Amino acid sequence: MTGAGSFSFRCNACGRCCNSPPAMTVEELFRHEQRFIGCLAVSVVHPLAGGGPVHGETVTAAEAAQWRQAVEALSFPLDGRPGAPRLRLGTQAHDYPSLGACPARRPDGRCEIHADGQPAACAAVPLDAALPDGLQRVVLHQRLAEAAWMGADCIVAGRREGYAPLVEGERVADDGYRRDLHARRAALQAQAPAWGARVAGLLGSELRAGGAALRAGPQDYLTLPLVPVLAVLSESSDDARERTRRYARAQVALIERKVAAALQRKDRADRAMTQELRRFRGHYERFASA
Ligand code: SF4
Ligand code: SF4
């Protein structure tokens, strides 16, 4: 199939899409605790009501239902009404936006941790594990414009010489990318029983108030320190308690280094992030000493 909904891909490792810190699981954040500041990202998601055109692709009613199921598996109800917005909790790396780069991106654009624990979300790029395989064509249709805008030209519609077929209609055509996509999706789905449901409950009304503010404001997600996730994970064993506290101490040291570097840069654009990171540091210090 080479018609509508088919996309080919060729990555030349230019690093243009590595312009911000990536989504990472808790395990990945622990592994790279000296490099990435971890955070809990909270966003409001609106389940798709029905089929129709989405980012230039026609989505059937059955596909919209699959999309809703995928959203519901990774999110928590904001209130009890059917069809109400839901809160998605995700863990990711966090850094100064003014740097415009992931902390693992080398000056030549390559990934410093490519062969040493590259996050699964990065391995699946340009696909998005939050959506079912059958809807990856919607993701690529949207990213086609972004890749062209970045000058990367790594995604093309249909076939082109030198590019490998990535998505053909409802199928992820490349075996390696399909494997990476499924690995990332499995990791995302494992978060809800491991800590997601508990953290949503722990944050309770505070989280719901945040969701309400998100709906009203221009920003589409909140960033919080990872502490509620650490608190839940630490309950499982003495080892987990020690590991989560060690992580918190490592984060305090990393934040201090990042803030010191920002103060050296003297960029006014960094002020808000410096304040946020100082709040993070306080939370991690209290957790580590509790
Ligand atoms: S922008 Fe495209 S070509 Fe460049 S690293 Fe990202 S996926 Fe690869
Ligand atoms: S971890 Fe590597 S691949 Fe992922 S965003 Fe950073 S530099 Fe890019």
Side-chain angles (χ1 to χ4, degrees):
M1 178 175 178
T2 56
S6 291
F7 297 88
S8 301
F9 181 61
R10 178 183 65 184
C11 178
N12 59 21
C14 70
R16 287 186 173 96
C17 63
C18 304
N19 53 4
S20 60
M24 298 172 73
T25 62
V26 174
E27 292 74 18
E28 289 167 342
L29 288 168
F30 277 16
R31 175 171 180 166
H32 296 292
E33 63 191 0
Q34 310 285 341
R35 182 187 299 270
F36 295 104
I37 297 169
C39 79
L40 177 63
V42 183
S43 55
V44 175
V45 287
H46 301 266
L48 203 61
V54 182
H55 298 309
E57 294 287 328
T58 301
V59 173
T60 66
E63 288 172 332
Q66 283 177 20
W67 195 330
R68 275 197 301 280
Q69 275 176 10
V71 165
E72 284 170 12
L74 300 175
S75 62
F76 305 89
L78 197 55
D79 59 47
R81 288 177 296 121
R86 299 174 66 88
L87 281 174
R88 177 175 289 164
L89 306 183
T91 51
Q92 65 177 64
H94 197 36
D95 215 317
Y96 283 90
S98 65
L99 298 175
C102 167
R105 189 177 77 178
R106 296 193 326 208
D108 66 359
R110 302 208 167 235
C111 176
E112 204 154 70
I113 56 173
H114 181 78
D116 181 21
Q118 185 188 47
C122 302
V125 166
L127 305 177
D128 180 355
L131 266 64
D133 285 16
L135 289 164
Q136 293 303 313
R137 66 184 196 281
V138 177
V139 176
L140 291 188
H141 200 118
Q142 187 180 18
R143 294 204 168 147
L144 180 64
E146 294 168 5
W149 172 74
M150 290 189 294
D153 202 26
C154 47
I155 302 168
V156 295
R159 296 270 178 97
R160 186 187 290 179
E161 195 178 343
Y163 289 67
L166 179 56
V167 162
E168 298 194 331
E170 295 177 3
R171 199 170 70 87
V172 177
D174 184 287
D175 290 345
Y177 274 98
R178 191 168 56 247
R179 218 172 23 247
D180 289 339
L181 180 70
H182 291 183
R184 170 66 180 156
R185 187 176 296 136
L188 282 177
Q189 289 170 347
Q191 290 181 347
W195 55 262
R198 286 282 315 283
V199 168
L202 272 177
L203 294 180
S205 59
E206 192 183 332
L207 199 55
R208 287 178 179 79
L214 283 173
R215 274 179 291 170
Q219 185 173 301
D220 60 358
Y221 69 97
L222 290 172
T223 46
L224 306 173
L226 213 56
V227 167
V229 179
L230 300 179
V232 168
L233 295 177
S234 73
E235 291 172 358
S236 65
S237 68
D238 287 347
D239 283 353
R241 185 175 193 281
E242 170 50 28
R243 183 65 188 96
T244 51
R245 276 155 180 78
R246 188 150 40 94
Y247 175 79
R249 289 192 291 273
Q251 290 287 285
V252 169
L254 177 61
I255 288 170
E256 283 172 355
R257 291 198 298 277
K258 295 266 185 189
V259 168
L263 295 178
Q264 291 281 324
R265 288 197 297 275
K266 293 187 167 62
D267 185 342
R268 291 171 67 90
D270 286 338
R271 281 187 182 172
M273 186 67 185
T274 293
Q275 285 172 1
E276 182 177 11
L277 290 185
R278 283 177 168 152
R279 279 197 301 277
F280 273 37
R281 184 184 59 192
H283 285 283
Y284 285 125
E285 280 172 342
R286 284 191 287 284
F287 178 79
S289 60

